[in-house]
Amino acid sequence: MVIDDKMIDYIGELARLRLQENERESAKNEMNKIIDYMDTLNKIDTNGIEAMSHAFPVKNVFRKDEVKPSINREDLLLNAPDKSEEAFKVPKTFD
Amino acid sequence: MEFLTTMGLEVHCELSTKTKIFCSCSTEFGGEPNTHVCEVCTGMPGSLPVLNEQVVEYAIRTGIATNCTITQYNKFDRKNYFYPDLPKAYQVSQLYLPICQNGHIDIEVNGVKKAIRIKEIHMEEDAGKLIHDPWEDCTLVDYNRCGVPLLEIVSEPDFESGEEVIAYLTKLKSILQYIGVSDCKMEQGSLRADVNISVRPVGQKELGTRTEMKNINSFKAIARAIEGERQRQIDVIEDGGKVVQETRRWDDTKGMSYAMRSKENAQDYRYFPEPDLVPIEISDEWIERVKNSLPELPEEKKARYISEYNLPEYDVDIITGSKYLVRIFEGALEVCGEAKEVSNWIMGEVLRLASETSTEVEDIKFSPENLGKLIVLVKKKVINRNTAKEVFEKMFSENIEPEQYIKDNGLEMVNDDGAVLAVVKSVIEANPKAVAEFKGGSAKVKGFFVGQCMKQLKGKADPATVNKIIAEELEKL
Ligand SMILES: [Zn+2]
């Protein structure tokens, strides 16, 4: 796989990033390097090795189903760029 | 042209855990906006999720009750998309290794039995609620529902009619309620269905292009949405057009669906393994323990009611279809031991009053034990049936205790034959004209006497006794 202009635009759009011309070029280069590295990894013989789904050999970390106080609404909204008394405010959104 | 319809269902059900899936915020419905919210469920930087064990337990329960295989090694993945109801810009879900797979639910439509296959059930988190603010023309976001645990139950495209869809949903809802994993209140959004639907001309093998209708939240609306969308697709094809694969929203008041703003890349969710959560390993012992803790399921209960109590299949179907009716049935039965009577009361007065007062069966308030007591009171002839119905209306609306209520209001039946006889005699004496008619051969005038006597007895006598005494007295004339 090669990251071309079309692909970088698509990825930018999915990530909601507006890329300038020079940023596009450097992003393209960096991503191609990552893809190249994947190709290198793909060459390794992994027959008989179990797929790893997590970096740590830890499993079943659970919490009991017990309610704890939520955070104070004023504190919650403190850093919101825009808010009403009780809610986060965002630009008009609809389906 | 004749068309065949094929449908698949994705059902989302909110689990009735006390807390959210990854944090300890309450899942209680109807709180003030943004009061059941913390740094985890709003995705504040640096916060980390910890899985609620009860969610896994409920998922296993659901999997077993729907004949699924439990995936003993499963994990979470991130589904990425930008929408303000999702503060992290990804939903934690399960794509690669969902917790339950390959199950089925058996349904019956017009006497035909059919198994609907379940492809998978996965655990995920619910999103927040967007509220449009018309004053400022902006959107307000309430994250109280964000992070409430959901199971998404995905069927195979096995449905061929709206009736099958409704039968499946009815069955699924009753299973989920029986095993106590969800209250399935569609009006509160704790059970929602997305329908995938396609049509194809009879004879064509491959399935037609499907559309998806999202978040329809009542059975009736689902039936209408299916019929509406099926017809729309047929019209498109018959007009020489092509059905476009898209997500549509069903507007139930207008009775039509419309395409949701097309997001060309919307399907590219770029799933990847969730690094903040570790895998889940479910042991054989855990599965065995859940299996043993499952209550009797609707199907088993139905069979038992028919064989043990000898009740009609139709009645049993209705009663075992709802955990709440079962609670009434079993509670009343324990007190009175009269299965047939309890069943008749439920099929008659209980459902009649529920429908007349638009009460959902889950919101019925009277205590089942009191219905049992009422049945005993009728059997012991403390009250007659008509009085019992009046008392029951009071029980239904105010959950009164029948014995005390009957005493307080002096509703006990007059069981003293002498007292009845005195009333009968006085009625006969007071109505010489009716007596003459009776002597003239009119049998129906008997009904008049019964009515007059019951009136004088204020309805508190055993109609059979009154009938008998009137007949005897008239014979003597
Ligand atoms: Zn929280």
Side-chain angles (χ1 to χ4, degrees), chain B residues 124-414:
Chain B
E124 59 183 31
E125 51 183 345
D126 207 350
K129 196 171 131 202
L130 303 180
I131 310 138
H132 180 62
D133 179 355
W135 299 104
E136 294 192 44
D137 202 30
C138 65
T139 298
L140 297 172
V141 196
D142 172 9
Y143 287 125
N144 279 354
R145 303 314 292 162
C146 191
V148 169
L150 289 179
L151 289 184
E152 180 173 335
I153 303 161
V154 185
S155 86
E156 295 287 356
D158 285 350
F159 301 98
E160 290 166 295
S161 72
E163 284 103 319
E164 288 181 1
V165 171
I166 302 301
Y168 168 85
L169 285 171
T170 308
K171 189 73 170 283
L172 179 60
K173 180 177 167 182
S174 96
I175 291 173
L176 295 172
Q177 288 179 337
Y178 262 69
I179 60 175
V181 303
S182 173
D183 57 15
C184 296
K185 290 194 171 165
M186 293 191 94
E187 69 282 2
Q188 292 184 1
S190 62
L191 188 75
R192 321 188 282 260
D194 302 347
V195 186
N196 289 305
I197 173 168
S198 71
V199 300
R200 66 181 193 282
V202 172
Q204 179 182 313
K205 261 202 166 155
E206 62 276 21
L207 296 180
T209 306
R210 66 189 162 90
T211 61
E212 184 181 20
M213 284 186 295
K214 278 210 174 290
N215 284 347
I216 320 171
N217 58 5
S218 86
F219 285 5
K220 281 179 186 151
I222 288 168
R224 288 190 286 264
I226 288 171
E227 192 39 49
E229 178 58 13
R230 195 183 75 89
Q231 200 51 55
R232 189 194 66 84
Q233 291 189 10
I234 290 174
D235 291 346
V236 168
I237 295 169
E238 287 189 328
D239 288 347
K242 268 196 175 134
V243 173
V244 183
Q245 184 168 348
E246 61 191 355
T247 303
R248 301 181 67 87
R249 188 177 285 285
W250 173 253
D251 185 331
D252 199 46
T253 45
K254 292 197 184 108
M256 58 185 291
S257 68
Y258 55 93
M260 283 164 68
R261 196 166 54 146
S262 151
K263 293 175 222 146
E264 223 175 297
N265 305 323
Q267 294 304 317
D268 196 340
Y269 292 127
R270 294 152 296 144
Y271 279 96
F272 64 87
E274 167 58 85
D276 287 346
L277 290 158
V278 296
I280 305 154
E281 208 169 87
I282 301 167
S283 63
D284 294 338
E285 292 75 41
W286 192 353
I287 296 174
E288 208 47 43
R289 189 172 52 70
V290 175
K291 218 175 246 172
N292 292 333
S293 74
L294 278 189
E296 191 179 32
L297 293 172
E299 206 81 344
E300 300 160 350
K301 213 180 260 296
K302 187 179 154 188
R304 182 169 67 83
Y305 278 15
I306 292 173
S307 68
E308 201 168 308
Y309 304 128
N310 204 15
L311 298 173
E313 188 172 348
Y314 177 80
D315 299 8
V316 172
D317 236 355
I318 304 257
I319 294 170
T320 59
S322 157
K323 159 185 165 180
Y324 303 95
L325 292 180
V326 164
R327 191 180 68 93
I328 296 173
F329 180 84
E330 296 188 347
L333 182 63
E334 208 178 311
V335 173
C336 72
E338 305 269 340
K340 182 72 193 147
E341 275 296 315
V342 178
S343 163
N344 286 345
W345 273 91
I346 291 175
M347 296 302 291
E349 292 306 290
V350 175
L351 292 179
R352 179 182 70 83
L353 288 170
S355 133
E356 276 174 15
T357 56
S358 303
T359 310
E360 297 289 332
V361 285
E362 47 259 56
D363 299 324
I364 290 176
K365 291 283 174 299
F366 75 84
S367 119
E369 291 69 35
N370 283 343
L371 175 58
K373 282 190 201 166
L374 191 68
I375 291 170
V376 171
L377 290 169
V378 174
K379 201 181 167 205
K380 285 192 182 155
K381 301 203 164 195
V382 175
I383 51 171
N384 65 28
R385 260 171 208 284
N386 281 331
T387 309
K389 281 186 186 172
E390 278 171 42
V391 174
F392 182 71
E393 288 197 17
K394 233 11 197 190
M395 274 169 58
F396 191 90
S397 58
E398 293 165 39
N399 190 22
I400 49 114
E401 197 283 319
E403 223 158 356
Q404 192 60 45
Y405 181 83
I406 288 164
K407 234 176 244 161
D408 292 348
N409 292 278
L411 298 173
E412 296 96 338
M413 206 148 69
V414 180

Side-chain angles (χ1 to χ4, degrees), chain B residues 397-443:
Chain B
S397 58
E398 293 165 39
N399 190 22
I400 49 114
E401 197 283 319
E403 223 158 356
Q404 192 60 45
Y405 181 83
I406 288 164
K407 234 176 244 161
D408 292 348
N409 292 278
L411 298 173
E412 296 96 338
M413 206 148 69
V414 180
N415 281 327
D416 170 4
D417 284 5
V420 176
L421 180 64
V423 169
V424 170
K425 278 185 166 162
S426 76
V427 167
I428 290 176
E429 219 175 274
N431 293 284
K433 224 177 109 193
V435 172
E437 275 175 46
F438 176 76
K439 284 184 172 164
S442 165

Side-chain angles (χ1 to χ4, degrees), chain A residues 70, chain B residues 20 23-25 36-42 146:
Chain A
S70 295
Chain B
K20 294 187 177 181
C23 64
S24 303
C25 289
H36 299 161
V37 171
C38 72
E39 66 279 13
V40 175
C41 52
T42 45
C146 191

Side-chain angles (χ1 to χ4, degrees), chain A residues 10-50:
Chain A
Y10 177 65
I11 295 169
E13 200 182 314
L14 285 177
R16 299 289 192 278
L17 292 174
R18 240 175 265 122
L19 296 175
Q20 305 299 324
E21 196 52 41
N22 59 332
E23 289 171 330
R24 262 170 101 219
E25 278 312 307
S26 68
K28 222 164 70 183
N29 284 334
E30 280 167 26
M31 281 200 188
N32 274 320
K33 272 184 203 153
I34 296 168
I35 299 286
D36 283 349
Y37 182 57
M38 295 295 153
D39 287 342
T40 309
L41 289 180
N42 274 338
K43 282 180 200 139
I44 299 168
D45 179 11
T46 54
N47 269 329
I49 297 173
E50 213 179 309

Side-chain angles (χ1 to χ4, degrees), chain A residues 10-11 13-16 50-54 56 58-73 75-77 83-84 86-95, chain B residues 17-25 33-37 44 50-53 73 75 82-84 136-141 143 249 260-261 265 268 270 275 277-281:
Chain A
Y10 177 65
I11 295 169
E13 200 182 314
L14 285 177
R16 299 289 192 278
E50 213 179 309
M52 188 179 77
S53 54
H54 202 275
F56 304 126
V58 181
K59 60 187 184 202
N60 292 9
V61 175
F62 298 129
R63 207 185 79 238
K64 287 266 167 266
D65 187 23
E66 286 161 7
V67 178
K68 288 187 185 151
S70 295
I71 54 180
N72 180 319
R73 186 161 68 190
D75 294 338
L76 177 85
L77 296 171
K83 60 197 164 194
S84 72
E86 49 187 35
F88 295 90
K89 205 185 270 186
V90 296
K92 189 174 160 186
T93 310
F94 54 90
D95 284 318
Chain B
T17 51
K18 295 187 195 78
T19 65
K20 294 187 177 181
I21 183 167
F22 300 125
C23 64
S24 303
C25 289
N34 292 304
T35 52
H36 299 161
V37 171
M44 301 273 186
V50 186
L51 179 59
N52 182 347
E53 186 166 19
Y73 184 86
K75 61 187 187 64
F82 288 97
Y83 207 63
E136 294 192 44
D137 202 30
C138 65
T139 298
L140 297 172
V141 196
Y143 287 125
R249 188 177 285 285
M260 283 164 68
R261 196 166 54 146
N265 305 323
D268 196 340
R270 294 152 296 144
L277 290 158
V278 296
I280 305 154
E281 208 169 87

